[in-house]
Amino acid sequence: VEGFEHIVKAEGSAGAIVALNEDGSIVSSSSTLDSLGNPSAKKTTISNGKIYYSPVIVSLPKQAVDFTKGYANFALLEDGSVWSWRSHEWSAQKESKEVFIKSPKKVEGLSKVVRLNSISANTINGDLYTWGNYVYSSRSSSTKDYIQRPIRIAQDIKVDQYGTGGFADYSFIDDKGNAWMWGDKSDRGQWGAGKITEDYMPKEFVLSPHESLFNTHANK
């Protein structure tokens, strides 16, 4: 793909590619300006009439060491700060008049981050934070809540690797090789925690990491 050189990590979809190069720059290309992280990008109309934005450097104040692509995109910088752009609802930005954040903004409340995905961050001190869309249910009703600023849901956690894709985003493997899950999807036993809570998932349960019973059988 033209414009992506010396890449060490890349994530893509039908409409956008985001990549990190070995110099610590994040490069993006997209069919929409909303996803790029650089509002000064020039658009091109290609032969079939569709709009295309050539690869550009995402506007960040320091070098990046990691990133994640999703409804909102997040960059982890060398100083441990986290910056986000694209969809406001998933951006961990408390307030914004924009539906789409076109230039990266610093996520307040996160520092010393060493691991992240599109809905969570883990700090060097062992704090685990989350944000985004959650559903809490009682015996009579359910509530959808967009958590607009990072909230701490656990301490003394060392994430070695996050799960990826769909509901697996709400999971991680810690530095001891144990798998953990949280969130509002245990209706089919996805967590492997010995609990199925299809009808009743209170907020305190949804926002608490649960250790998977898969660890009992793992060759660690």
Side-chain angles (χ1 to χ4, degrees):
V1 178
E2 295 293 334
F4 292 88
E5 290 89 20
H6 307 291
I7 299 301
V8 295
K9 178 182 178 179
E11 295 183 7
S13 62
I17 299 173
V18 182
L20 174 66
N21 68 25
E22 61 187 16
D23 296 327
S25 296
I26 293 181
V27 186
S28 67
S29 177
S30 177
S31 59
T32 65
L33 188 62
D34 302 328
S35 300
L36 285 171
N38 187 332
S40 63
K42 301 290 195 310
K43 69 178 179 180
T44 302
T45 302
I46 55 180
S47 57
N48 60 4
K50 292 185 177 180
I51 293 174
Y52 165 73
Y53 289 88
S54 300
V56 291
I57 301 295
V58 176
S59 307
L60 294 165
K62 293 181 180 294
Q63 290 184 327
V65 296
D66 198 7
F67 77 92
T68 185
K69 179 182 180 300
Y71 292 117
N73 298 330
F74 292 84
L76 173 59
L77 304 192
E78 59 186 353
D79 63 357
S81 64
V82 175
W83 297 64
S84 67
W85 68 99
R86 200 171 180 242
S87 171
H88 162 62
E89 286 183 326
W90 293 84
S91 67
Q93 305 285 350
K94 183 177 181 181
E95 294 179 357
S96 175
K97 296 180 180 178
E98 304 168 291
V99 176
F100 288 97
I101 300 171
K102 295 183 174 63
S103 295
K105 295 181 179 180
K106 185 177 180 179
V107 178
E108 299 298 334
L110 290 180
S111 62
K112 300 181 180 179
V113 172
V114 291
R115 294 282 187 276
L116 86 166
N117 69 5
S118 60
I119 48 88
S120 177
N122 184 216
T123 72
I124 197 170
N125 300 323
D127 293 328
L128 184 69
Y129 289 85
T130 192
W131 57 85
N133 179 16
Y134 288 89
V135 176
Y136 319 122
S137 56
S138 66
R139 302 187 193 283
S140 59
S141 64
S142 62
T143 302
K144 180 183 288 187
D145 183 18
Y146 279 97
I147 299 175
Q148 295 184 309
R149 275 284 175 90
I151 60 170
R152 188 174 64 185
I153 59 172
Q155 296 175 274
D156 301 320
I157 294 289
K158 298 291 185 182
V159 174
D160 182 71
Q161 180 179 334
Y162 279 104
T164 57
F167 298 125
D169 287 340
Y170 301 84
S171 67
F172 63 89
I173 299 171
D174 67 19
D175 59 340
K176 298 178 180 63
N178 297 314
W180 297 78
M181 292 81 179
W182 78 97
D184 53 19
K185 282 294 174 184
S186 184
D187 56 338
R188 298 178 183 87
Q190 296 98 316
W191 289 353
K195 299 177 182 178
I196 296 178
T197 54
E198 183 173 4
D199 297 323
Y200 180 46
M201 299 192 74
K203 185 173 183 178
E204 60 271 18
F205 184 87
V206 168
L207 297 178
S208 298
H210 300 266
E211 187 173 2
S212 172
L213 292 178
F214 293 136
N215 299 323
T216 305
H217 308 288
N219 181 11
K220 298 185 289 182

